[in-house]
């Protein structure tokens, strides 16, 4: 049994493990598919569920290693282009980071009060899936003659009586050390293709105008850099009934003169449909404000905590009084 396990491991070392095959996903699998596959397989092969089973233990280690590589956008990109050997080349990890892309996302006040999952599609450059970003047909490459396959070359630098050589990146192969033997028919040797990417944007209750939702490593792809981030910036649309100030909300209620003098019973339909009942039996001054505690916006860090609702009262005075009404008022207010 131990001989068989050793043989399986030896084959993996010689041929190089296919981490996609280990996780039982396709090379096109997205982040959620990889996460789902890892959870399923790690439970299946976990040592606690397979005590004394060395083969299951080794499978668990492979699954864990595969997830470590494929769930990391930088490691996955290097693995896709250079294979397992590329993961041991520290120089590949020192590449620059690509640009971030920011998108404005318009949302309603209801969206940031209740929370919302919103699918958004963007267009970006992605590594060609056929050639894995090599630009080569069937991923077949040849060593770069300009640098001898090293990715760097020596350049003479001199001046003021001295001469020295310094190592610079090869311009012909871009530091990769290889060139396409034949252009990839899918990307035409460009290494990337323009494609649509759908992202599930989670708008949390309590988010505000200008809040950012970040998708790390989901920006433009290129074999020359690690992808930057996709950043969605929320832009809150004006609301017809409510105005937001921090975690507080404000709204207005119109009262008749009778209601302002004798009291009122009013209902406010809130952003999630629940009704806020406010009653009063005294005199209400025009432009006065009543605060209803706990009926404002949810706090983003603790959504169960809410701000306050500020209700401003507008008193509608009659445009004209009858002679009898005028006499009555004069008697009431001598």
């Amino acid at each position: 049994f131990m001989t068989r396990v050793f043989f399986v491991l030896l084959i993996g070392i010689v041929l190089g493990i296919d981490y996609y095959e280990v996780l039982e996903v396709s090379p096109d699998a997205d982040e959620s598919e990889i996460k789902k596959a890892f959870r399923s397989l790690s439970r299946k092969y976990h040592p606690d569920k397979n005590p004394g089973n060395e083969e299951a233990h080794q499978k668990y280690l492979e699954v864990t290693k595969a997830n470590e590589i494929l769930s990391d956008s930088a490691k996955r990109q290097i693995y896709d282009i250079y294979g397992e050997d590329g993961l041991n080349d520290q120089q590949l990890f020192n590449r620059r980071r690509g640009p971030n892309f920011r998108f404005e996302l318009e949302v309603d006040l209801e969206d940031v009060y209740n929370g919302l999952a919103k699918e958004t599609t963007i267009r970006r450059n992605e590594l060609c899936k056929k050639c894995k970003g090599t630009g080569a047909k069937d991923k077949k490459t040849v060593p770069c003659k300009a640098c001898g396959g090293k990715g760097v070359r020596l350049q003479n630098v001199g001046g003021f009586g001295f001469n020295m050589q310094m190592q610079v990146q090869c311009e012909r192969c871009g530091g990769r050390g290889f060139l396409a033997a034949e252009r990839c028919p899918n990307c035409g040797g460009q290494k990337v293709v323009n494609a649509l990417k759908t992202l599930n944007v989670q708008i949390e209750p309590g988010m505000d105008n200008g809040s950012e939702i970040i998708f790390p490593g989901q920006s433009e792809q290129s074999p020359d850099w690690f992808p930057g981030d996709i950043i969605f910036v929320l832009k809150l649309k004006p609301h017809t009934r409510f105005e937001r100030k921090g975690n507080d909300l404000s709204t207005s209620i119109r009262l008749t003169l009778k209601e302002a003098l004798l009291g009122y019973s009013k209902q406010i339909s809130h952003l999630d449909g629940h009704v806020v009942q406010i009653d009063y039996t005294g005199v209400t001054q025009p432009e006065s404000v009543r605060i209803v505690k706990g009926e404002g916006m949810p706090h983003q860090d603790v959504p169960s905590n809410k701000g306050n609702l500020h209700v401003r009262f507008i008193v509608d005075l009659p445009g004209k009084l009858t002679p009898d009404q005028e006499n009555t008022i004069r008697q009431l207010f001598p």
Side-chain angles (χ1 to χ4, degrees):
F1 173 74
M2 290 300 294
T3 304
R4 178 167 170 255
V5 172
F6 176 76
F7 177 73
V8 170
L9 288 175
L10 184 61
I11 291 293
I13 293 170
V14 172
L15 298 180
I17 297 173
D18 185 335
Y19 289 126
Y20 292 102
E21 192 174 294
V22 169
L23 286 184
E24 299 175 7
V25 296
S26 77
D28 299 335
D30 61 22
E31 299 79 13
S32 61
E33 291 174 294
I34 289 170
K35 187 181 292 185
K36 183 179 178 181
F38 171 68
R39 285 176 178 169
S40 174
L41 293 173
S42 62
R43 283 196 298 267
K44 179 180 178 180
Y45 295 111
H46 198 280
D48 291 347
K49 286 192 173 183
N50 302 274
N53 187 335
E54 184 61 27
E55 189 171 7
H57 177 67
Q58 292 299 331
K59 189 69 176 175
Y60 177 78
L61 294 179
E62 287 184 7
V63 166
T64 303
K65 180 68 174 177
N67 180 66
E68 178 195 331
I69 302 303
L70 300 184
S71 63
D72 184 306
S73 60
K75 291 180 180 178
R76 182 178 180 178
Q77 188 183 70
I78 290 173
Y79 173 72
D80 284 346
I81 299 175
Y82 300 96
E84 201 170 4
D85 289 342
L87 298 171
N88 299 319
D89 188 345
Q90 193 57 44
Q91 207 171 19
L92 294 175
F93 285 92
N94 294 332
R95 292 180 299 169
R96 67 189 177 94
R97 194 169 179 271
N100 294 335
F101 278 87
R102 303 172 74 88
F103 297 91
E104 196 174 77
L105 186 64
E106 281 198 338
V107 292
D108 296 315
L109 190 57
E110 286 86 352
D111 298 335
V112 292
Y113 181 87
N114 299 301
L116 178 72
K118 190 172 187 176
E119 279 197 349
T120 303
T121 301
I122 61 168
R123 187 172 287 278
R124 66 172 188 178
N125 283 332
E126 296 180 354
L127 290 179
C128 175
K129 290 181 172 60
K130 293 291 184 182
C131 67
K132 296 295 183 184
T134 62
K137 182 179 179 181
D138 300 325
K139 295 188 287 184
K140 292 179 180 178
T141 60
V142 293
C144 173
K145 293 181 179 179
C147 63
K150 296 177 181 178
V152 293
R153 61 181 185 79
L154 295 176
Q155 179 175 297
N156 292 320
V157 179
F160 301 106
F162 72 90
N163 189 45
M164 61 179 292
Q165 287 186 322
M166 64 180 296
Q167 202 174 66
V168 296
Q169 179 178 289
C170 177
E171 298 94 343
R172 181 157 175 76
C173 66
R176 288 180 291 276
F178 60 81
L179 297 169
E182 189 178 341
R183 285 186 180 181
C184 170
N186 188 56
C187 66
Q190 297 300 309
K191 308 175 185 123
V192 294
V193 293
N194 199 255
L196 295 174
K197 174 71 175 178
T198 299
L199 299 169
N200 188 16
V201 182
Q202 296 287 338
I203 300 169
E204 298 175 4
M207 283 186 161
D208 204 348
N209 191 57
S211 291
E212 294 182 347
I213 301 171
I214 302 173
F215 290 84
Q218 294 298 313
S219 189
E220 294 264 296
Q221 297 180 356
S222 167
D224 299 325
W225 64 56
F226 293 125
D229 302 336
I230 292 290
I231 303 171
F232 288 98
V233 183
L234 299 189
K235 183 181 180 183
L236 201 57
K237 291 189 282 188
H239 198 269
T240 55
R241 294 185 297 114
F242 293 97
E243 184 180 347
R244 179 178 183 173
K245 292 180 180 178
N247 289 322
D248 289 349
L249 289 172
S250 61
T251 190
S252 299
I253 286 182
R254 306 192 80 90
L255 299 178
T256 63
L257 180 58
K258 179 181 177 181
E259 289 173 324
L261 294 173
L262 302 177
Y264 57 82
S265 179
K266 295 287 186 180
Q267 291 184 336
I268 301 172
S269 180
H270 215 302
L271 294 165
D272 61 351
H274 84 272
V275 174
V276 180
Q277 180 73 38
I278 53 173
D279 302 293
Y280 191 57
T281 56
V283 175
T284 302
Q285 297 292 337
E287 299 300 321
S288 61
V289 175
R290 180 175 174 182
I291 297 175
V292 185
K293 292 187 176 180
E295 289 292 353
M297 291 295 297
H299 296 197
Q300 187 180 348
D301 50 348
V302 186
S304 58
N305 294 342
K306 291 184 172 66
N308 300 323
L309 175 63
H310 299 250
V311 183
R312 182 172 66 96
F313 295 97
I314 301 170
V315 179
D316 291 326
L317 297 175
K320 188 178 180 181
L321 296 175
T322 65
D324 289 342
Q325 288 172 332
E326 287 181 12
N327 291 331
T328 301
I329 291 173
R330 285 193 176 96
Q331 290 172 9
L332 291 172
F333 303 101

